[in-house]
Amino acid sequence: MDDEAFNRHKQALSDKRLEKPKKLGSRSEKIWTEITTHRYNFNRDEIEVAELSKISNQDILDFYDT
């Protein structure tokens, strides 16, 4: 996969993670999952997207090689 396609996939994943839940039940489920697992990380999506932006195509290839 070339870098352009990889960046498009990365952007699509970021957009999906940052998309707000369309139903109140979905939002409630996300919050209660954090509470019941005792993690209390209510901005998990933003943190994961920030880390995703740091990953390169070569990082993925190196990961699969090891």
Side-chain angles (χ1 to χ4, degrees):
M1 175 183 313
D2 63 346
D3 286 336
E4 183 180 333
F6 178 76
N7 288 331
R8 282 196 315 264
H9 283 286
K10 222 168 56 165
Q11 185 61 42
L13 182 58
S14 295
D15 293 344
K16 179 74 172 166
R17 294 290 293 167
L18 292 176
E19 184 177 312
K20 300 294 180 193
K22 296 195 178 7
K23 297 183 178 182
L24 185 58
S26 300
R27 174 83 173 137
S28 174
E29 182 180 342
K30 284 179 82 170
I31 292 171
W32 276 108
T33 299
E34 291 295 327
I35 293 170
T36 57
T37 58
H38 303 285
R39 294 187 183 146
Y40 310 110
N41 191 0
F42 299 109
N43 60 345
R44 180 176 305 278
D45 292 333
E46 290 84 7
I47 294 169
E48 289 180 0
V49 167
E51 291 300 317
L52 177 65
S53 68
K54 298 176 187 176
I55 295 175
S56 69
N57 195 4
Q58 190 60 44
D59 293 335
I60 301 295
L61 294 174
D62 293 342
F63 174 78
Y64 280 112
D65 287 341
T66 59

